[in-house]
Each structure stands twice: as C-alpha cells, then as structure tokens.
Amino acid sequence: MLDALLIKLNYREVLSGEREFDLGTAYLAGALRQAGFQVEIIDASLEELTKEMLLERIISSPARLIGLSVWLHRLVGEAEQLVRELRLRGIKAHITMGSHSPTFLYRELLENNPGLDSVVCGEGEPTIVELLTALAAEREWRNIPGVASYDADRIIYKPRAACCALDELAPPALDYAPLVKERGQFMSLLTSRGCYGRCTFCSTSPFYRLGGGKAWRAHSPERVLAEFVLLHREYGFTHFGVRDDNFVGPGAQGRERAQAIAEGILREGLAISFKIACRVNDIDRDLFASLKQAGLARVFLGVESGSQRRLDGFKKGVTIKQNTEAMLLLTELGLPYTVGYIMFAPDTSWAEFRESSAFLKHALGSVEGITEAVHDMFNPVEVLPGTVIAEELSQKGLLLGDYRGFRYRFQDWRVRVFYQGLVGIRRLMAFIIKVRGVNTGGD
C-alpha cells in the first residue's frame, strides 16, 4: 500500500496543448519522499482523465492518505463529488484537500462533506509530512498546525507559522516530466512564491501571508539555475514556463536576483526559452534586455484596467502611465507579451467602463502588439475565496451563489445591461459555430 496518493484534478475546459506539469503536487511529493514515504502522483489534468477513469486509478492504488489538489476555485464542487464517490466505493483512506480555495473554505468544506477528513491550509509541504507521519504511527493528528478538521460538531484548526525558506524545500518530483517532454510541451518551473502586490481580486498575497509569512520569497539564483540545468541537460527541455505569480519580486533585491538568474543562464550556455509573469512596475529596460538575451520569450503583464479609478479600486498601486510605458518598453525590446485585463468589477461605474474602453481604443492604435496581447478585453473579475473583494461583497450582502462558485450583480445598471447583452452575443456566436461544425461534419 502507498503512503500517499496525490491527485491534481482535471479541468476539462483547458485545451490539451495548455495542460502543464503540476508543481503543487510535485513539491508535496518531493517533501514526502524526502521524509521516507512512498508516494505516487495522478495528474488527471495532464492525462485528461475522465471522472470514472480517475476513480478507477485511485481505487487500484490503495494509499493511507489521498490528497486532492483543488487548483482552481471552480473545481471545488467536483472535488466534493469525488470525495463522496470514493466513500461510496468503500475507500477508507484519510482524504484531505489543499491549495488556495480550500485554505480559505476549510470550514464550509468540512461542514458539508462528512467524507472529507481534513484540509491542509497554506503551503502544504511541512504540514502534509507531519500529517502522514502521525497517520502512519496511528497518532493523534487533529492538532497539527496547518490542518483543519471537523470533530464532535466543531472545527479544529491551528494556523501554522510561516513556511521555511524556499531553498530548504525538497526539489519537486519529476514523475510527469517524461510525458511532458514526449508531448513537446514547455516544462513548468518555480523560482519564487507569492506576490508583493495587494490586489483586491487576488488570493495570492493573503495565501502566502498566512502565519505571518512574507508576501513574496524566492529560490536563490543558484537553486534556480541548478533546476534549469537539470531539466535542460538531463531531460532535454528547451522551453520553460516559469510559474511564479511574480518573477521579478520587490525592489532592488528582486531585480538583482532576476539579473543573477539571467547571467547564470548565459554563463552556463543554456540554449533555452522561457516565459514569466510580473507587475508593470517591474519592467526595467536593462533587466529585461538581459532576460531576453538569456532566453525570455514572453511576459504576462497584469495591466487589468485603463481607468485610474478602477486601478485604485483594485489597489494595484500603479498608474495608467506605468501600464502604457511597460507595454511600450517591451515592444521596443522586441519581447512579446500577454495582458491580463479586467473590464468589469461588481462596482464598476459606467464612467470607469468608458475610461477603460477609451484606454484600449487608444492603445490598439498606438501600442504595437497589443491586439495580440489582449486575449479578452471584456473579462469580469472572478471573486475568489480569501480576497478583499469577496469579503467586501459578503459584508454588504452582495455576494451571491455559494462557496462553490461566487456570483454578483453589477451595481451600475448600465454596466449590467451592457454585460448581459455581451453574454447574449457570445452565446449566440458559440451556438452558430457549433451548428456550422455539425453541418460540415467538423471539417
């Protein structure tokens, strides 16, 4: 019997080519194996497993602990269904969940799912090792810091103090690296965790600040370079997705680390390409010229809005001028970029909508490459557990739906009418495309 079976759930709407190596379960498996446990990973997303296929795999791999990585909020309901189905099929293992949404929803999950034994809150490496150690020794586990559980009609949860320096963590397990290489996809790599921003719509900063933790902390340049070298020279990867929420990090310290990584790649002579995500105020000409020389191929920028009032409402801590300058600088350097843009929030006014639309109209005519960079300019903000927006809406009685999927109404009636019309047009277009596909046999 396995000590642990770690599972990344499948989200069916992700395109096959965009399914990537999962670092969450990989780091947990690395920590557990370093502690001497026998662990297997099932990446249902990468393997594109149906629900029944996943159930069969779990049942055929008996384990003391089953850990579910609920990596998207919209997967919470599916995770609950999986727990119920596993119990119905006689699975007796300790079942736990983890990742951002379960961390902030541990009370709701435990109260509504009697088959769920625990929730691992926050960064899971030290917590899951302690939990499995206690289970293996048949010792009491409910008071382990970072573990939330339900016992005798009450929630038991003691927050864990902030996790260790990243270089102290075991390297991620590379079980699925051969499959990723076989498919010719980019390889995921993590150089930092968290983000120093405090955007009201994002759960990253609250997640990593749990237990007094730092909002952003990083692997050393030496550790990052060692992983690049290993994955390139021993596994043959040349294209990488750096999955950091914010690659550069705060201030001079963050820029110096990023510069050291670029210099290390060049010094080692690694013929690689990689993509990163950062804030617009991280864009620096000299730094990004060095990163491009080292192989930087694409940048994700969280621009979010062209209305200063909306940027301030999101607590982005940047200006429209900084947004524009960042895009122009990347264009000058010849670096492709993708823009994150949120047109609609619950309290978006008609004036803000017009400002943001005017910004895009101007940018489309003056900033080269932005047409390809903005994949969807009419995105509504997604309300996630643990965010400032979720808390504010809840306090005002404006948070609709339930913990499995929050909803809201736009407070400005003009914005509400426009968005409803936009949704209607998109549904009509999707229906027309579907009908045409059926009539032409999909050709």
Side-chain angles (χ1 to χ4, degrees):
M1 182 174 73
L2 294 169
D3 292 306
L5 184 62
L6 304 178
I7 299 160
K8 180 184 180 181
L9 299 179
N10 184 16
Y11 182 53
R12 288 180 293 276
E13 292 185 24
V14 177
L15 299 176
S16 295
E18 297 175 355
R19 294 170 184 267
E20 58 193 64
F21 181 88
D22 182 54
L23 287 161
T25 52
Y27 268 94
L28 292 175
L32 288 168
R33 286 173 182 167
Q34 187 179 67
F37 292 110
Q38 186 178 359
V39 183
E40 285 189 12
I41 303 170
I42 299 177
D43 190 330
S45 177
L46 194 59
E47 294 192 50
E48 301 187 57
L49 301 179
T50 64
K51 177 183 174 182
E52 191 58 37
M53 291 165 65
L54 177 57
L55 283 165
E56 290 176 3
R57 287 276 294 277
I58 296 172
I59 292 169
S60 64
S61 304
R64 189 185 308 276
L65 178 145
I66 297 173
L68 306 181
S69 175
V70 188
W71 55 288
L72 288 174
H73 182 214
R74 61 198 72 176
L75 288 173
V76 166
E78 288 194 29
E80 292 179 308
Q81 292 174 12
L82 181 59
V83 171
R84 288 193 290 271
E85 190 63 35
L86 288 172
R87 294 307 189 201
L88 286 172
R89 299 197 185 196
I91 296 298
K92 304 297 184 184
H94 181 108
I95 301 179
T96 190
M97 289 186 192
S99 199
H100 287 223
S101 288
T103 290
F104 297 112
L105 295 173
Y106 67 85
R107 182 175 297 277
E108 292 87 345
L109 287 167
L110 291 166
E111 288 178 344
N112 289 282
N113 296 279
L116 180 65
D117 294 294
S118 66
V119 174
V120 172
C121 299
E123 294 177 83
E125 289 88 353
T127 304
I128 201 166
V129 168
E130 285 191 33
L131 175 58
L132 189 49
T133 299
L135 292 172
E138 298 184 351
R139 297 200 311 263
E140 176 55 45
W141 54 268
R142 295 184 186 278
N143 292 318
I144 294 174
V147 175
S149 62
Y150 191 71
D151 186 46
D153 297 325
R154 66 188 181 97
I155 297 291
I156 301 172
Y157 173 56
K158 178 182 178 182
R160 175 176 287 275
C163 190
C164 56
L166 289 193
D167 279 5
E168 296 176 17
L169 295 176
L174 299 176
D175 301 32
Y176 276 91
L179 177 59
V180 175
K181 184 67 175 69
E182 179 185 321
R183 291 185 175 184
Q185 295 173 253
F186 69 83
M187 181 60 181
S188 299
L189 184 140
L190 193 75
T191 83
S192 70
R193 290 184 181 181
C195 178
Y196 63 88
R198 291 180 176 270
C199 303
T200 60
F201 56 82
C202 184
S203 64
T204 295
S205 182
F207 182 85
Y208 288 103
R209 289 179 189 272
L210 286 174
K214 294 181 179 180
W216 183 90
R217 67 193 203 286
H219 279 305
S220 65
E222 294 77 15
R223 167 72 177 260
V224 174
L225 189 60
E227 290 200 23
F228 269 126
V229 168
L230 171 71
L231 293 168
H232 178 59
R233 292 180 179 164
E234 295 192 22
Y235 286 83
F237 287 104
T238 55
H239 304 296
F240 294 88
V242 177
R243 309 318 294 165
D244 305 15
D245 292 294
N246 187 320
F247 172 75
V248 177
Q253 175 191 6
R255 290 193 295 273
E256 289 169 4
R257 187 194 79 106
Q259 179 68 37
I261 292 171
E263 292 173 358
I265 292 172
L266 292 169
R267 186 172 58 251
E268 288 287 339
L270 303 180
I272 62 174
S273 69
F274 57 96
K275 53 187 178 180
I276 65 170
C278 66
R279 288 168 54 86
V280 297
N281 53 298
D282 295 326
I283 304 298
D284 173 86
R285 181 182 296 276
D286 292 339
L287 172 60
F288 277 75
S290 295
L291 288 168
K292 181 185 178 184
Q293 188 180 3
L296 179 60
R298 180 168 290 275
V299 179
F300 179 86
L301 280 179
V303 170
E304 313 309 356
S305 181
S307 163
Q308 191 60 53
R309 285 183 286 184
R310 176 46 42 199
L311 290 174
D312 294 342
F314 282 154
K315 291 185 170 55
K316 285 290 295 181
V318 298
T319 64
I320 294 175
K321 181 181 178 182
Q322 287 175 297
N323 280 343
T324 304
E325 289 176 346
M327 293 186 289
L328 287 172
L329 181 51
L330 290 177
T331 299
E332 288 177 25
L333 291 172
L335 277 170
Y337 59 93
T338 302
V339 167
Y341 209 79
I342 302 173
M343 183 67 80
F344 303 107
D347 59 346
T348 294
S349 67
W350 187 247
E352 288 173 356
F353 168 67
R354 294 186 66 180
E355 289 171 4
S356 203
S357 300
F359 169 83
L360 276 179
K361 182 179 180 180
H362 173 74
L364 288 170
S366 59
V367 181
E368 184 180 345
I370 194 173
T371 303
E372 296 77 22
V374 184
H375 291 170
D376 188 349
M377 62 184 68
F378 293 115
N379 275 322
V381 69
E382 181 181 8
V383 178
L384 299 172
T387 61
V388 173
I389 283 183
E391 180 63 25
E392 289 178 346
L393 288 174
S394 178
Q395 290 179 354
K396 295 176 182 178
L398 300 174
L399 190 63
L400 308 177
D402 63 17
Y403 68 91
R404 299 176 184 90
F406 296 131
R407 295 182 291 103
Y408 54 86
R409 296 185 72 207
F410 297 112
Q411 294 165 33
D412 189 311
W413 69 269
R414 291 162 296 186
V415 173
R416 186 162 62 248
V417 169
F418 179 89
Y419 185 73
Q420 288 171 345
L422 179 66
V423 170
I425 292 171
R426 286 181 168 177
R427 287 175 177 169
L428 177 61
M429 293 300 296
F431 175 75
I432 292 172
I433 291 171
K434 182 178 180 181
V435 169
R436 284 180 175 176
V438 171
N439 291 340
T440 60
D443 297 330

